[in-house]
Amino acid sequence: MEILRQEHPNPQWERAAWRNLNGEWEFDFDFGKSAREKKLFQKGALSKKINVPFCPESELSGIGYKDFIAAVCYRKVIKLTDDELKNNILLHFGAVDFESFIYINGEQAGHHIGGYSSFAVDITKFVKSGENEIFVIAEDDVRGHMQPAGKQSEQFASYGCFYTRTTGIWQTVWLEFIPKSYIKNAKYYPNIDNSSITIMGSVCGKGEITAKASFEGKETGSATAKTSNGIFTLTINLSELHLWELGCGRLYDLELSFADDSVKSYFGMRKFGIGKDKQGLPRLMLNNEPYFQRGLLDQGYWSDGGLTPTTDEAMIFDISEMKRLGFNMLRKHIKVEPLRWYYHCDRLGLIVWQDFVSGGTPMKSWYVTYLANALLPILFLVSAMSTGMASVLLAGVFKHPEEFNRVGVFKKFHFCFPCIEMLLVASLMFITVTNSTAGYESVMALLAGKYAVAFWVLFVIVGLVGPTILETWMLFFSPK
């Protein structure tokens, strides 16, 4: 079985002592969600094989089961040496959908809820020299509407922007060996105005922590600070300032050292904000200069891997191609990607808009479709007028007809209403994004001046009354 995704999963927090656990694992379905009751984690081998980190619904997993799966089980036996046992040992999971139970040598070592978030389990006290068994039970219920599902379809087949489900492990699994005194975490706060970066974080233990920054192999500054109650703050004054810019992600390398622990990381010197351009109009600002975002809605689904990118090279190709086509921003659509995806966006100079993962109860037509058609564009317009976020306008009017149509023949008619709104808003956007103060004032006159009443009445009629009348007719008079 070919082992894919062997690269380090977190380029912004990389230690030398780690082990990738991707590849062949034992596997079984648990359609009755009874694995925990049966204590399968104490009963040895499972009957199937799976290629981790690909979910059982995907072809690359070697299973390719497309129907609904209530729960799954994984088992893998690993060997640990006496030298490795001198460290703390963390078992990392990039993502497991949805609720996971982690067992080491028959004992529960961890429990995690959340299908899109990374987590780690400290397995130090559960392991021994020689062979050790890792057993994972993952339970999932997309149709229960009580968990974030994102783009996973609650129907058997894919439809609209909802695709084949993901159950169980779908990102890299790996071991990390860390000293008894170690760096827990760190956050970076770049300041381009004074060419410095402030680092705040926490450690386990006492002592001094040192941070060294470099750019393309040349050291650009360092700083040392004493920890206090496990917390530290330090600032590096950089000898050279290289700005992160659109299409050119100039990244600094960073090395953090504390006691026997060392972590390799990176950061970019950039500044986002809202300010006024030369004509006094509010604009989005990058590094104190106005800029315009040209973005795509990035689905992040792979034909053979599902939610999981096939290879690192495949991710790089996707991002590079979107950059080549002239885009400088990607909106990640109701999905959280593996950390390496964000690293490549940082490295290649693309901005990321990150969605929350949607889920929960089913959408209700009244307040998701009809009311939103009238109110959301209004809110986006007001926001755009006050902040210059003209590129945001279209987000409030693009609708999926499949969300609110009961009879297929009426899809094209139902779609007309948001399309009309889109034309109205697009015309306003065209005026807003011009560098003309007169154009800006004209827009404000339309929204709040002598034509305001007529404009908002038309907007409400198109966005709310139209779809309501059509839906009422379909509900009571259309053929069932």
Side-chain angles (χ1 to χ4, degrees):
M1 182 177 289
E2 182 182 5
I3 301 177
L4 298 174
R5 309 315 313 266
Q6 297 188 57
E7 61 281 344
H8 194 286
N10 187 1
Q12 203 167 27
W13 201 257
E14 186 173 346
R15 289 185 171 94
W18 74 288
R19 187 194 302 179
N20 194 316
L21 297 182
N22 289 345
E24 184 177 288
W25 286 54
E26 295 174 12
F27 176 83
D28 246 331
F29 295 108
D30 179 23
F31 294 112
K33 280 190 178 180
S34 56
R36 287 187 289 144
E37 294 179 54
K38 295 176 180 177
K39 296 186 177 181
L40 293 185
F41 49 85
Q42 296 177 347
K43 297 185 178 180
L46 300 175
S47 64
K48 299 177 178 60
K49 305 292 183 183
I50 190 170
N51 191 2
V52 168
F54 300 99
C55 69
E57 291 90 344
S58 71
E59 297 302 322
L60 285 176
S61 70
I63 294 180
Y65 184 87
K66 307 297 184 184
D67 212 334
F68 288 85
I69 305 172
V72 289
C73 300
Y74 298 82
R75 179 179 180 268
K76 188 175 185 68
V77 176
I78 62 171
K79 290 184 178 181
L80 297 173
T81 66
D82 290 332
D83 285 341
E84 290 172 330
L85 292 176
K86 294 177 182 178
N87 301 290
N88 290 330
I89 303 177
L90 298 182
L91 175 60
H92 290 266
F93 294 86
V96 182
D97 198 12
F98 169 72
E99 183 173 5
S100 53
F101 302 85
I102 315 302
Y103 301 87
I104 304 296
N105 295 326
E107 295 184 70
Q108 184 170 341
H111 171 230
H112 179 76
I113 296 177
Y116 293 83
S117 53
S118 301
F119 65 98
V121 178
D122 189 339
I123 63 172
T124 308
K125 67 180 182 180
F126 297 96
V127 294
K128 62 184 186 299
S129 181
E131 289 191 346
N132 293 269
E133 179 193 78
I134 302 172
F135 199 100
V136 179
I137 299 174
E139 298 179 355
D140 199 10
D141 185 11
V142 174
R143 280 179 165 170
H145 304 296
M146 295 301 290
Q147 66 184 55
K151 307 181 73 61
Q152 300 182 58
S153 174
E154 62 176 8
Q155 300 178 17
F156 172 74
S158 299
Y159 71 100
C161 66
F162 299 96
Y163 312 122
T164 303
R165 293 151 299 285
T166 292
T167 304
I169 298 172
W170 66 276
Q171 288 189 30
T172 293
V173 185
W174 50 292
L175 291 175
E176 188 176 36
F177 305 94
I178 59 178
K180 300 301 180 182
S181 295
Y182 64 95
I183 309 167
K184 290 183 178 179
N185 53 61
K187 291 184 178 181
Y188 312 138
Y189 301 89
N191 188 326
I192 69 169
D193 298 315
N194 63 10
S195 301
S196 68
I197 178 148
T198 297
I199 305 170
M200 302 176 66
S202 63
V203 300
C204 179
K206 298 179 180 180
E208 290 186 338
I209 184 167
T210 298
K212 294 181 180 180
S214 61
F215 185 81
E216 295 183 347
K218 180 182 178 182
E219 186 171 330
T220 54
S222 63
T224 299
K226 288 185 177 181
T227 63
S228 176
N229 297 319
I231 305 297
F232 69 88
T233 300
L234 54 81
T235 298
I236 301 176
N237 294 311
L238 299 170
S239 60
E240 299 178 6
L241 179 61
H242 303 276
L243 292 179
W244 186 99
E245 295 178 321
L246 294 176
C248 189
R250 303 180 185 93
L251 299 180
Y252 288 75
D253 293 315
L254 182 68
E255 184 175 355
L256 302 173
S257 301
F258 174 73
D260 294 327
D261 193 21
S262 179
V263 175
K264 290 183 179 180
S265 186
Y266 73 86
F267 64 90
M269 293 298 293
R270 65 185 182 185
K271 177 183 178 181
F272 289 107
I274 297 175
K276 293 186 177 180
D277 62 15
K278 295 179 180 179
Q279 296 174 314
L281 300 181
R283 301 293 185 193
L284 289 173
M285 310 290 280
L286 172 62
N287 301 335
N288 299 321
E289 296 291 337
Y291 72 104
F292 188 80
Q293 295 188 27
R294 299 180 299 276
L296 289 174
L297 185 68
D298 190 341
Q299 301 284 335
Y301 252 77
W302 302 81
S303 59
D304 49 2
L307 284 177
T308 310
T310 310
T311 63
D312 207 45
E313 291 72 23
M315 283 194 298
I316 294 171
F317 175 82
D318 256 20
I319 298 169
S320 299
E321 189 67 8
M322 288 182 274
K323 176 181 172 181
R324 186 188 68 81
L325 291 171
F327 298 99
N328 58 30
M329 180 271 287
L330 301 175
R331 175 190 160 193
K332 180 51 61 178
H333 193 216
I334 52 178
K335 176 199 175 186
V336 179
E337 286 284 2
L339 293 175
R340 292 193 66 87
W341 185 86
Y342 300 96
Y343 162 66
H344 291 308
C345 288
D346 287 342
R347 183 176 59 83
L348 295 171
L350 271 76
I351 296 172
V352 175
W353 283 17
Q354 178 61 57
D355 280 8
F356 283 103
V357 179
S358 59
T361 57
M363 295 184 294
K364 305 298 182 182
S365 292
W366 171 251
Y367 55 82
V368 171
T369 299
Y370 309 146
L371 204 58
N373 274 352
L375 294 185
L376 279 184
I378 295 173
L379 295 175
F380 272 80
L381 278 170
V382 173
S383 174
M385 297 307 104
S386 62
T387 65
M389 294 174 63
S391 61
V392 176
L393 289 171
L394 294 180
V397 294
F398 279 120
K399 302 293 180 185
H400 298 285
E402 292 83 1
E403 293 175 1
F404 48 85
N405 285 279
R406 299 176 187 275
V407 182
V409 70
F410 292 103
K411 287 184 179 180
K412 59 182 179 181
F413 297 108
H414 224 314
F415 190 56
C416 289
F417 296 104
C419 279
I420 294 172
E421 283 187 357
M422 184 180 69
L423 292 174
L424 289 172
V425 177
S427 63
L428 292 176
M429 185 184 72
F430 177 77
I431 299 174
T432 304
V433 299
T434 62
N435 292 322
S436 168
T437 303
Y440 179 79
E441 292 174 350
S442 299
V443 172
M444 296 308 296
L446 180 61
L447 295 176
K450 61 181 180 179
Y451 301 110
V453 174
F455 172 79
W456 292 122
V457 168
L458 176 62
F459 214 91
V460 170
I461 290 176
V462 172
L464 180 60
V465 179
T468 302
I469 293 174
L470 181 57
E471 181 73 9
T472 302
W473 189 91
M474 292 166 60
L475 182 64
F476 292 103
F477 301 103
S478 64
K480 305 298 181 184

